[in-house]
Amino acid sequence: MRHNKVGSVMTTDVVHAGYDTPFKEVARLLADHRISGLPVIDGDDKVIGVVSETDLMVHQTATPGPYGVKRRAPLGQLTRSARKQAAKAQAHTAGELMSDPPVTVHADDTIVEAARTMAAHRVQRLPVLDEEDRLVGIVTRSDLLQVFLRPDDEIRDEVIKEVLIRALWLPPRSVDVAVAEGLVTLTGHMEHRTETEIAVSMTRRIDGVVDVIDKLTYRLDDSRIREEQALHGAADDWLRGL
């Protein structure tokens, strides 16, 4: 099946900073381009960290008021996280301010993989790297959501061609495929239970599919046969290892 890649939705004109980019220039870049973060790169275009609005706020909140006195605890008494925060509070450049290691994706990664990475790390944007790990783009949450704008008829065509015909070798009209707002309904009668499970599973992984309604029936429940074959194969492997 064809899966949309990160490279197809990323922005290639990336706003970035170098390690020595001054603090105020970083703030200006974020404000001028109305973005919440940017990658920091070295001389080889390798991403070494990411600066976000939160990083800038750490510096700002640590600045004492006109009558305040900045109190500093001995570094030895601070946790690792607290030491990082303390260093950011005194940062003068993007390199001192950035969070590292950076969370990135590659241009050849699927949109689903990128979305999982973004969710797992709770970030709103990801630097995109090429095969040599150089910065080539940036992808945001809104970019990844474009996959759900895929037309229903395009999704239906892929289910028929890739799942029914190519994967299961079934006639295209053997199963009725209906798609409405990304919701796919599969209706029909198949020979084996495992075929219905494969059809539902593969359809669910197609780009743009929100969910699958399974209305498939089957003549033969072969799931137990497959389980017994798998167990028999595992036993054979174990005996061969004796």
Side-chain angles (χ1 to χ4, degrees):
M1 290 186 296
R2 179 180 65 83
H3 288 287
N4 286 335
K5 305 294 185 178
V6 171
S8 67
V9 297
M10 71 181 185
T11 299
T12 55
D13 185 14
V14 187
V15 180
H16 61 271
Y19 187 94
D20 294 325
T21 301
F23 177 96
K24 282 196 172 182
E25 178 62 20
V26 173
R28 188 177 298 112
L29 287 171
L30 295 180
D32 289 349
H33 295 276
R34 298 182 180 180
I35 53 178
S36 60
L38 53 79
V40 181
I41 62 174
D42 62 14
D44 296 322
D45 290 338
K46 302 290 182 66
V47 180
I48 56 177
V50 174
V51 175
S52 68
E53 291 175 330
T54 302
D55 295 322
L56 271 69
M57 291 302 296
V58 169
H59 185 284
Q60 186 66 25
T61 55
T63 303
Y67 305 105
V69 178
K70 183 182 290 186
R71 297 180 179 179
R72 298 179 182 174
L75 289 179
Q77 297 179 12
L78 299 176
T79 64
R80 182 179 180 183
S81 176
R83 285 197 296 271
K84 284 188 175 183
Q85 295 294 85
K88 288 182 181 182
Q90 303 172 44
H92 297 157
T93 66
E96 297 170 342
L97 191 67
M98 69 185 185
S99 298
D100 64 305
V103 181
T104 62
V105 291
H106 283 83
D108 286 336
D109 290 344
T110 66
I111 289 177
V112 172
E113 290 170 334
R116 288 172 180 167
T117 299
M118 195 173 285
H121 294 274
R122 298 180 180 180
V123 294
Q124 297 182 9
R125 58 183 59 233
L126 293 169
V128 184
L129 313 180
D130 64 11
E131 63 276 3
E132 296 181 2
D133 290 337
R134 294 174 302 190
L135 180 68
V136 292
I138 200 86
V139 66
T140 66
R141 289 183 179 181
S142 60
D143 295 329
L144 300 183
L145 289 175
Q146 289 183 26
V147 68
F148 292 108
L149 300 179
R150 192 178 183 193
D152 288 340
D153 57 349
E154 188 176 310
I155 295 173
R156 182 177 182 276
D157 287 343
E158 184 169 349
V159 173
I160 293 172
K161 294 176 183 177
E162 299 296 332
V163 178
L164 300 183
I165 299 176
R166 183 170 297 180
L168 295 173
W169 293 11
L170 296 173
R173 297 182 182 277
S174 60
V175 172
D176 180 67
V177 181
V179 186
E181 298 295 326
L183 185 63
V184 181
T185 302
L186 301 177
T187 307
H189 187 74
M190 305 178 80
E191 183 67 14
H192 301 100
R193 176 179 176 177
T194 53
E195 289 177 331
T196 67
E197 294 171 347
I198 291 171
V200 172
S201 178
M202 290 187 67
T203 299
R204 188 168 279 123
R205 291 199 297 268
I206 288 177
D207 288 342
V209 172
V210 176
D211 201 358
V212 179
I213 298 176
D214 179 10
K215 292 186 177 181
L216 297 172
T217 58
Y218 52 86
R219 188 184 69 82
L220 176 64
D221 185 353
D222 60 336
S223 57
R224 188 173 184 83
I225 298 174
R226 294 292 180 91
E227 291 174 1
E228 291 174 351
Q229 289 175 341
L231 290 172
H232 181 68
D236 288 344
D237 291 341
W238 182 80
L239 289 172
R240 282 194 293 269
L242 293 179

